[in-house]
Amino acid sequence: MQRRTHAILTTAHRFGLRSGETLGLKTRDFRQSDDPATLTVHRRHDDPEDPRADQPVAKTLPRVLEFEDDHRGILALWIMEHRSDRERFSHARRHPFLFVNRTGRPLGNRGYEKIYAALRGRHPSLGPLVNHGKRQPIYAAVRSMVKFQG
């Protein structure tokens, strides 16, 4: 879950994405073979692929975001090594959404809010951290919260 949390927080804060935009991302929106790599944010109201009762949606126009190799590696690692782990996230292959909960189902609004609550709890110095409010202080907090092994 630490890799997932790292991928979510760095994606949301690097691009200033709203929660609905982040939760609505699908694996096919990430184009790691492009140079530079791209991530496309779409408006997907009433998406037939979305099993969530309260579907998160983007409020803005669709757009293509370009990013550096360090972020390409973060998303590629999450998708290829962690999200695709059938034992860990058994339901992840049933839908195309990029970010999943502990069972592999699409991450919902409540789960997303819990990530930010945990981050605020571990790092009170961040103050009233919201999804697309502060960008710079989040990186130090994310790095200290997520323990990497190499």
Side-chain angles (χ1 to χ4, degrees):
M1 298 312 292
Q2 290 178 347
R3 294 284 184 182
R4 180 213 59 184
T5 299
H6 183 239
I8 289 171
L9 293 173
T10 56
T11 300
H13 286 275
R14 180 163 293 180
F15 300 116
L17 299 179
R18 292 178 170 87
S19 60
E21 294 170 331
T22 304
L23 294 173
L25 292 171
K26 296 182 180 182
T27 55
R28 62 180 169 254
D29 296 334
F30 173 51
R31 305 282 308 234
Q32 69 175 335
S33 60
D34 290 355
D35 191 26
T38 61
L39 187 65
T40 306
V41 177
H42 294 280
R43 288 182 60 128
R44 293 187 170 110
H45 294 271
D46 301 319
D47 185 351
E49 290 183 303
D50 196 340
R52 296 172 282 201
D54 183 22
Q55 294 182 359
V57 294
K59 295 180 180 180
T60 60
L61 295 174
R63 63 195 184 281
V64 177
L65 308 168
E66 296 179 349
F67 51 90
E68 305 297 324
D69 286 340
D70 62 333
H71 196 72
R72 177 192 320 231
I74 292 167
L75 285 180
L77 180 68
W78 162 245
I79 293 168
M80 304 305 291
E81 292 188 27
H82 299 284
R83 185 189 181 280
S84 64
D85 183 347
R86 289 183 184 198
E87 288 182 32
R88 178 69 195 226
F89 302 110
S90 59
H91 295 266
R93 294 200 179 246
R94 298 181 184 177
H95 63 82
F97 291 94
L98 183 58
F99 299 117
V100 300
N101 64 19
R102 292 189 183 279
T103 64
R105 291 183 173 86
L107 184 64
N109 289 318
R110 284 182 55 203
Y112 192 77
E113 290 168 7
K114 285 181 181 181
I115 291 169
Y116 280 90
L119 189 60
R120 285 189 303 267
R122 290 192 69 180
H123 300 279
S125 63
L126 292 173
L129 178 69
V130 294
N131 180 35
H132 59 284
K134 297 181 180 179
R135 290 173 179 72
Q136 293 304 331
I138 191 89
Y139 291 114
V142 168
R143 288 192 180 144
S144 67
M145 184 177 177
V146 179
K147 298 177 185 101
F148 292 108
Q149 299 174 359

